[in-house]
């Protein structure tokens, strides 16, 4: 895998990134360290975390993922220097009262304190890519479809947040900055203000992108392309829908795979990935994969890996075997006929996991 540059930053990463939100909930520390070891062995140099992880989010596991990664760095001399490390500061609490006492805002002070706390848990002196996990302002995200201006509330401005992030870069605590779950407006405003005020420019946006959610292609891709911002695609397997594991059983009930995320956690079933329409669409794509001699996982990942919009695809796994399967899908080529069939399904079913 050739490394790719993230935006206009000096970060160069593999086009596969190891996501870690399962560490500390579905994955214990020993297994997490084995996954990290294998990922490094396979040549993946990009690692993504967040202060709110693991997922599903609970007060008891807040920061657990970062702590597990920090312990891995401490126990593997030299490993930190081989990795590009990304993590995130959570936006407004969204009902999680253990995050900054449930604050409905994300202030400059919050960003600085969260970064310092992450540095301690990660046991490192610098975060290579520091991202705002979701916007402080009112936006349609995490399954919401429509923007509602009536929900606007006073929050810290993009300019104030950008100044705080720039301060962290100047202090040497952060090398580059990014966004997540952002809109075209948000990306453009962060870039515009950076240019206007001489502040740090965002290098990346981390948004969902997979066969059942291609909303990035509804305008965000043009914004990012023209502004020189790289896409980090998360949930390329649609929280497991696109692996085929739910095709026969559905996502709930006695026959559903009990250890799998959507089946195991009711909170996940209530989100966009648990919609019946998302499962119905996934079944169509999974059947298409099998018709063409591919596993559903191969099709879903190859689709993301080959997309011009995607700089790096974030894979989340619960075992070394899953990690190997996901990395092995690299290089799978999809024929023009197969890509046309994918687009035909999307034209019919659109983006049910938006």
């Amino acid at each position: 895998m050739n490394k790719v540059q993230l935006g206009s930053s000096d970060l160069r990463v593999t086009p596969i990134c190891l996501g870690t939100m399962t560490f500390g909930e579905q994955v214990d520390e020993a297994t997490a360290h084995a996954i990290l070891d294998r990922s490094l062995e396979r040549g993946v140099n990009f690692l993504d975390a967040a202060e709110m992880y693991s997922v599903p989010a609970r007060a008891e596991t807040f920061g657990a993922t970062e702590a597990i990664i920090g312990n891995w760095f401490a126990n593997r001399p030299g490993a930190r220097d081989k990795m590009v490390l990304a993590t995130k500061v959570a936006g407004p609490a969204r009902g999680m009262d253990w995050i900054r006492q449930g604050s409905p805002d994300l202030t400059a002070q919050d960003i600085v304190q969260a970064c310092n706390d992450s540095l301690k848990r990660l046991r490192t002196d610098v975060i290579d890519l520091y991202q705002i996990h979701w916007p402080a302002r009112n936006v349609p995200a995490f399954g919401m479809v429509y923007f509602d201006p009536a929900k606007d509330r006073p929050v810290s401005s993009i300019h104030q947040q950008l100044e705080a992030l720039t301060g962290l870069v100047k202090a040497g605590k952060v090398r580059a900055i990014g966004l997540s779950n952002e809109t075209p407006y948000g990306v453009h405003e962060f870039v515009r203000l950076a240019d206007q005020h001489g502040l740090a420019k965002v290098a990346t946006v981390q948004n969902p992108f997979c066969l059942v959610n291609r909303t990035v292609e509804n305008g965000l891709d043009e914004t990012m392309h023209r502004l020189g911002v790289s896409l980090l695609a998360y949930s390329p397997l649609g929280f497991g829908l696109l692996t085929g594991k739910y095709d026969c059983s559905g996502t709930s009930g006695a026959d559903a795979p009990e250890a799998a995320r959507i089946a195991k956690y009711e909170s996940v079933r209530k989100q966009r990935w648990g919609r019946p329409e998302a499962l119905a669409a996934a079944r169509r794509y999974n059947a298409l994969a099998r018709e063409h001699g591919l596993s559903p996982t191969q099709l879903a990942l190859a689709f993301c890996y080959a997309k011009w919009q995607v700089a790096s695809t974030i894979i989340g796994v619960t075992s070394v075997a899953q990690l190997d399967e996901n990395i092995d899908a690299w290089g799978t080529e999809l024929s023009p006929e197969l890509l046309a069939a994918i687009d035909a399904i999307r034209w019919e079913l659109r983006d049910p996991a938006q």
Side-chain angles (χ1 to χ4, degrees):
M1 294 180 284
N2 293 324
K3 293 184 175 63
V4 296
Q5 182 179 353
L6 296 182
S8 58
S9 75
D10 63 355
L11 301 179
R12 297 189 65 82
V13 303
T14 46
I16 296 176
C17 172
L18 178 62
T20 60
M21 72 179 187
T22 60
F23 294 1
E25 179 65 47
Q26 289 178 276
V27 178
D28 62 27
E29 184 156 346
T31 305
H33 286 188
I35 291 169
L36 288 162
D37 288 340
R38 182 63 171 163
S39 180
L40 189 58
E41 179 187 334
R42 292 292 304 267
V44 173
N45 81 330
F46 194 15
L47 188 62
D48 181 68
E51 66 166 346
M52 67 160 283
Y53 290 168
S54 53
V55 171
R58 297 186 293 124
E60 296 80 4
T61 56
F62 178 80
T65 297
E66 289 185 328
I68 288 171
I69 294 169
N71 291 340
W72 182 70
F73 285 144
N75 293 330
R76 305 294 191 278
R80 175 66 187 93
D81 295 335
K82 298 176 182 177
M83 303 298 295
V84 175
L85 174 63
T87 195
K88 314 178 199 75
V89 54
R94 298 177 61 242
M96 295 175 281
D97 58 10
W98 58 89
I99 300 178
R100 288 177 279 282
Q101 292 75 53
S103 171
D105 197 2
L106 177 63
T107 68
Q109 294 79 11
D110 292 335
I111 291 171
V112 172
Q113 184 61 56
C115 180
N116 289 332
D117 292 344
S118 286
L119 286 167
K120 290 178 184 177
R121 286 190 293 266
L122 290 164
R123 300 170 76 165
T124 187
D125 296 326
V126 62
I127 294 164
D128 297 308
L129 178 65
Y130 196 51
Q131 308 151 96
I132 295 178
H133 206 153
W134 57 88
R137 68 188 192 282
N138 164 42
V139 297
F142 299 112
M144 293 187 293
V145 177
Y146 302 112
F147 172 66
D148 182 359
K151 294 181 179 179
D152 281 355
R153 298 291 184 272
V155 293
S156 299
S157 68
I158 289 175
H159 189 188
Q160 290 169 324
Q161 294 171 345
L162 195 52
E163 286 184 319
L165 292 168
T166 301
L168 293 171
V169 173
K170 290 180 176 179
K173 296 181 178 182
V174 168
R175 290 177 61 194
I177 63 170
L179 306 171
S180 187
N181 299 294
E182 256 301 355
T183 68
Y185 166 81
V187 178
H188 193 279
E189 192 67 357
F190 268 93
V191 172
R192 183 187 72 81
L193 289 168
D195 289 343
Q196 181 179 345
H197 298 283
L199 300 172
K201 180 182 176 181
V202 294
T204 59
V205 175
Q206 183 179 149
N207 271 28
F209 187 67
C210 63
L211 290 171
V212 294
N213 184 344
R214 292 171 59 178
T215 51
V216 163
E217 294 175 298
N218 295 344
L220 181 59
D221 54 353
E222 180 192 4
T223 297
M224 296 179 66
H225 172 71
R226 299 198 185 283
L227 297 179
V229 179
S230 296
L231 175 66
L232 308 180
Y234 79 73
S235 294
L237 295 175
F239 259 56
L241 290 175
L242 294 165
T243 66
K245 70 176 70 175
Y246 300 109
D247 282 5
C248 295
S249 66
T251 57
S252 62
D255 295 329
E258 60 183 25
R261 244 177 298 176
I262 303 177
K264 186 174 183 178
Y265 302 107
E266 182 182 6
S267 61
V268 176
R269 291 196 298 279
K270 291 180 178 178
Q271 298 174 29
R272 52 191 160 171
W273 311 109
R275 292 173 184 158
E277 298 86 353
L279 177 59
R283 283 170 166 158
R284 291 278 297 278
Y285 290 115
N286 297 341
L288 182 65
R290 297 183 186 104
E291 289 169 12
H292 287 261
L294 300 172
S295 72
T297 297
Q298 283 177 308
L299 176 67
L301 289 177
F303 176 78
C304 288
Y305 290 163
K307 273 293 199 174
W308 69 261
Q309 291 94 336
V310 178
S312 191
T313 300
I314 302 172
I315 57 172
V317 303
T318 57
S319 69
V320 171
Q322 284 185 355
L323 175 71
D324 282 332
E325 180 185 14
N326 289 2
I327 295 175
D328 288 344
W330 177 260
T332 301
E333 295 187 5
L334 306 182
S335 69
E337 294 77 16
L338 180 49
L339 291 170
I342 288 171
D343 282 344
I345 295 174
R346 195 217 180 187
W347 184 255
E348 178 185 347
L349 301 179
R350 300 295 169 161
D351 299 303
Q354 178 178 354

